[in-house]
Amino acid sequence: MSFPELRMRRLRQSPEMREIFAETRLHPSMFVKPLFVVPGSGVRREIPSLPGQFHLSPDEAAREAASLRGKGVLSVLLFGLPEAKDAEGTSALDPEGPVPMAVRAIREASPGTVVMTDVCLCEYTDHGHCGILRGDEVANDVTLEALSAMALVHAEAGAQVIAPSDMMDGRIGAVRHALDGADFSDRLVMAYAAKHASVFYGPFREAAGSAPAFGDRRTYQMPPGNAREAMREVRLDIEEGADAVMVKPAMPYLDIVRRVREMTDLSVAAYQVSGEYVMIEAAAAAGALSREGAILESLTAIRRAGADIIITYYADVAADLIG
Ligand code: PBG
């Protein structure tokens, strides 16, 4: 059948008809909101590189998580800005550090929130790399021990999902093994599996104070042009015991989201990163496009590509828009 018998516009003639024939829907429960936790109490400071996002002390992070829960956003992903940094990132293991404190505060104030924590050393090392150095090289295997210890500190505090983002080899297996060995076999591991070395992390690194002091992250994060290598990374993380796999960034990598979706039956997460957020904010502030439209269209596209879980700074705003 073709025109004039076939008329595609029949499907689009009213809002109701469009809704009935919608292929992709968004729901607040698929959003995860990243939160940046700082020491102290009563702190809620706007982040200069991420306008509209805040540095929060643990008590404020708990308030934020409860408010998100009220909007139907079930999960937060925590990043920490420690008091002190050193070469080995030892403050990442402090049970009184901002992240473990926020985990406890959130679990208490908002028991219905699932707390995810980012496990990586870059916010805790004075050189800003994601692992421990030997000379100028990031040493893989010693870093695994530090990451495993960090995961245990988060689990001990009550984190239900551990999300290693460092891109060391073998980290998912190491973290899974450490968790199981310490009686945390009920905790999930969400692997930042296909994490590319992206300029779109720029605003985050300012927000987290985690820009590398020398060099870049290209010896551990993936080349933006490699999709088959991304599949290998994802397959490995699944073999090592990941409960969910992530693709990052999201919008410039939708082909990879789709390929991972087709390759595995695990849940696929996509991270709409800081640079993606800032691009939309800046374009909207310049009057170049509709902010609400860009937020919903970008999230819909990420969902359409195959993401089950979307980590996005717009989690609260999007929940309000679709609610
Ligand atoms: C830590 C980490 C980064 C992001 C998430 N975890 C920064 C990086 O790898 O440099 C980026 C998130 C964002 O840009 O929103 N390794």
Side-chain angles (χ1 to χ4, degrees):
M1 216 207 302
S2 62
F3 182 81
E5 293 79 17
L6 176 58
R7 290 177 182 270
M8 295 302 286
R9 288 184 59 198
R10 277 198 289 264
L11 304 173
R12 306 173 197 146
Q13 58 187 279
S14 68
E16 293 75 18
M17 201 69 87
R18 292 195 291 275
E19 187 57 34
I20 288 165
F21 285 95
E23 297 179 33
T24 306
R25 289 187 173 84
L26 296 171
H27 192 271
S29 62
M30 66 182 59
F31 303 141
V32 177
K33 171 86 174 182
L35 298 179
F36 296 91
V37 190
V38 297
S41 71
V43 182
R44 184 182 169 85
R45 250 191 335 259
E46 190 163 19
I47 301 172
S49 68
L50 285 173
Q53 305 299 314
F54 295 83
H55 283 137
L56 304 168
S57 50
D59 55 323
E60 290 290 326
R63 278 186 27 173
E64 189 72 28
S67 145
L68 285 157
R69 184 69 185 78
K71 297 176 194 288
V73 177
L74 307 181
S75 185
V76 295
L77 174 61
L78 304 185
F79 297 93
L81 285 85
E83 207 95 60
K85 304 186 187 218
D86 60 23
E88 311 238 308
T90 49
S91 57
L93 307 183
D94 180 4
E96 303 304 316
V99 167
M101 286 189 57
V103 173
R104 289 192 291 267
I106 294 168
R107 293 299 310 276
E108 194 175 314
S110 184
T113 297
V114 171
V115 182
M116 307 183 171
T117 57
D118 186 90
V119 164
C120 183
L121 294 183
C122 65
E123 291 124 61
Y124 303 88
T125 53
D126 51 15
H127 46 74
H129 277 288
C130 300
I132 292 167
L133 301 181
R134 289 289 176 263
D136 278 354
E137 305 284 320
V138 176
N140 196 87
D141 299 12
V142 287
T143 299
L144 298 185
E145 291 168 34
L147 295 168
S148 302
M150 185 177 179
L152 289 183
V153 171
H154 293 179
E156 194 71 56
Q160 296 116 312
V161 181
I162 304 295
S165 72
D166 52 283
M167 288 300 278
M168 297 301 117
D169 285 325
R171 76 229 203 270
I172 300 305
V175 165
R176 181 72 269 163
H177 186 255
L179 290 170
D180 290 350
D183 242 9
F184 293 122
S185 55
D186 59 334
R187 309 310 164 87
L188 285 74
V189 177
M190 180 167 75
Y192 283 75
K195 176 170 178 178
H196 293 80
S198 173
V199 298
F200 294 105
Y201 307 152
F204 171 98
R205 290 181 188 168
E206 273 208 44
S210 68
F214 64 91
D216 54 45
R217 303 209 199 292
R218 285 185 289 183
T219 68
Y220 38 105
Q221 298 180 352
M222 288 196 37
N226 288 10
R228 282 179 280 125
E229 189 178 327
M231 295 308 113
R232 297 182 69 198
E233 283 282 5
V234 171
R235 238 177 252 121
L236 254 175
D237 285 356
I238 294 171
E239 279 167 25
E240 290 179 28
D243 296 292
V245 286
M246 192 197 302
V247 176
K248 180 175 173 225
M251 281 248 275
Y253 294 81
L254 292 183
D255 58 320
I256 297 183
V257 174
R258 164 56 50 187
R259 283 183 66 163
V260 174
R261 166 71 294 142
E262 286 172 359
M263 181 254 272
T264 176
D265 290 328
L266 268 71
S267 288
V268 177
Y271 195 147
Q272 183 179 49
V273 300
S274 57
E276 299 178 69
Y277 170 82
V278 163
M279 283 199 300
I280 292 175
E281 290 298 291
L289 46 71
S290 146
R291 178 170 181 263
E292 296 182 2
I295 292 168
L296 290 178
E297 188 174 331
S298 65
L299 295 172
T300 300
I302 294 165
R303 171 78 183 139
R304 188 201 62 232
D308 305 292
I309 299 167
I310 305 177
I311 301 157
T312 173
Y313 299 96
Y314 287 124
D316 43 348
V317 176
D320 283 341
L321 289 174
I322 63 187

